[in-house]
Amino acid sequence: MRGDGNGWARCGLGHRHWGRFGAAGLLLVRAGADGPEVLLQHRAAWTSDGDTWGVPGGARDSHETHQQAALREAAEEAGIVADQVEVTGFWHDDHDGWEYVTVVAAARTEIALRPNAESADLRWVVLDAVPGLPLHGGFAASWPRVREIHLSG
Ligand SMILES: [Zn+2]
């Protein structure tokens, strides 16, 4: 049911997470002048873990795949439509009964970004600059491995 993922869940590691059926986000990559860039979202201060940088994303509804959830959230929060991107991989952050899935995708075209109220800013960031931003905790934890596995070479 649409929106039925909205709510808090507790994982087996004892954290509280937003998303009753887990959550997903879209890590979008494009070729920039100085190498690959990823699209990051400055989360509005009022959101959960607000005023940090991460990827567009959010709670998965029960009927959705993680890919569908990530693309829906990216459409809502950034104006990205599914046929503008090509999904290239997945990163599963398993929290023992709760999971965040990062959907890695390449931009197929120039994308006109349309931030909604949850996005204080949207910005293309070169890979080396990512760790210098005040990152969302979950994204910060997954970034080194996601970069190594999906964004190198
Ligand atoms: Zn957890």
Side-chain angles (χ1 to χ4, degrees):
M1 192 174 97
R2 184 163 176 80
D4 68 356
N6 290 327
W8 293 98
R10 193 168 287 277
C11 73
L13 306 180
H15 313 132
R16 206 167 70 114
H17 295 284
W18 182 255
R20 293 175 54 220
F21 307 106
L26 185 72
L27 180 65
L28 190 60
V29 187
R30 76 171 185 185
D34 297 313
E37 299 172 335
V38 291
L39 182 68
L40 296 187
Q41 174 198 44
H42 189 193
R43 303 157 64 91
W46 56 267
T47 63
S48 73
D49 294 304
D51 204 22
T52 61
W53 290 83
V55 296
R60 180 176 75 88
D61 290 340
S62 59
H63 66 280
E64 289 179 312
T65 64
H66 288 98
Q67 180 170 331
Q68 288 170 333
L71 290 171
R72 173 180 53 74
E73 292 281 345
E76 292 172 5
E77 298 178 353
I80 297 162
V81 294
D83 64 7
Q84 295 176 324
V85 310
E86 179 179 358
V87 173
T88 57
F90 300 88
W91 176 260
H92 294 261
D93 194 8
D94 181 5
H95 280 233
D96 189 11
W98 191 91
E99 187 177 44
Y100 188 99
V101 176
T102 300
V103 178
V104 185
R108 299 164 57 114
T109 179
E110 189 76 19
I111 293 176
L113 300 172
R114 291 185 291 103
N116 77 349
E118 291 174 62
S119 304
D121 195 8
L122 292 164
R123 194 182 297 172
W124 292 99
V125 180
V126 295
L127 304 187
D128 285 342
V130 171
L133 294 167
L135 299 178
H136 178 271
F139 179 65
S142 65
W143 170 251
R145 295 282 285 152
V146 171
R147 177 177 180 175
E148 180 188 345
I149 292 171
H150 290 290
L151 305 176
S152 63

